[in-house]
């Protein structure tokens, strides 16, 4: 699941409490960008302080002043995370059966 600040403050901050099994199976990655507004950073820091007692939270800072570079860096990082998780969970990362089904049904 993915969301962004400040929208995340309205949607997930309450709903994330349930179901309880989420707590042991979820990691929050807070992505900080050099060019990010300081108000967003403040929101992120507050959310971190609220959620850290219940969840594992990782802060990742992208410090290049070029936002495009940071976005590409972020995409590559999470592609590797996704690949690593597929290996860890013994899932074929290339298999896209559900997407194939969706495309097939949409083409009719």
């Amino acid at each position: 699941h993915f969301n962004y600040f400040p929208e995340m403050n309205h949607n997930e901050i309450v709903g994330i409490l349930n179901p309880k099994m989420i707590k042991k199976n979820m990691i929050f990655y807070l992505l900080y960008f050099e060019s990010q507004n300081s108000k967003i950073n403040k929101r992120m820091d507050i959310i971190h302080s609220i959620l850290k007692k219940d969840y594992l939270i990782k802060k990742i800072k992208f410090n290049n002043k070029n936002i495009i570079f940071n976005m590409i860096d972020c995409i590559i990082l999470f592609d590797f995370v996704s690949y690593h998780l597929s290996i860890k969970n013994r899932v074929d990362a290339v298999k896209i059966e559900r997407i194939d089904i969706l495309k097939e049904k949409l083409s009719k």
Side-chain angles (χ1 to χ4, degrees):
H1 176 73
F2 167 84
N3 210 332
Y4 56 91
F5 287 86
E7 189 62 28
M8 183 250 184
N9 294 144
H10 304 285
N11 297 333
E12 278 82 10
I13 196 165
V14 174
I16 203 76
L17 296 171
N18 291 300
K20 300 291 184 203
M21 58 76 71
I22 286 178
K23 287 184 179 184
K24 65 179 180 179
N25 294 309
M26 187 168 172
I27 300 173
F28 279 88
Y29 289 95
L30 297 178
L31 309 179
Y32 288 79
F33 293 93
E34 178 73 24
S35 58
Q36 193 163 272
N37 186 297
S38 62
K39 289 181 181 180
I40 297 296
N41 287 338
K42 182 177 181 179
R43 282 179 177 267
M44 292 173 72
D45 290 339
I46 293 168
I47 290 297
H48 182 267
S49 69
I50 292 169
L51 297 179
K52 71 180 180 183
K53 65 180 175 113
D54 294 316
Y55 300 97
L56 178 59
I57 301 176
K58 302 284 185 180
K59 288 184 178 183
I60 301 175
K61 295 184 179 184
F62 296 91
N63 295 321
N64 195 295
K65 292 188 188 306
N66 183 328
I67 188 66
I68 302 298
F69 179 86
N70 287 329
M71 291 173 139
I72 292 169
D73 201 23
C74 184
I75 291 167
I76 292 169
L77 171 65
F78 283 98
D79 278 349
F80 280 116
V81 168
S82 179
Y83 177 71
H84 173 75
L85 288 172
S86 73
I87 291 170
K88 182 177 180 178
N89 292 300
R90 297 182 179 151
V91 173
D92 182 352
V94 179
K95 187 176 177 182
I96 56 167
E97 186 176 324
R98 289 182 174 178
I99 295 172
D100 291 337
I101 292 168
L102 172 65
K103 287 180 180 180
E104 179 185 338
K105 288 182 183 268
L106 287 172
S107 71
K108 293 179 182 180

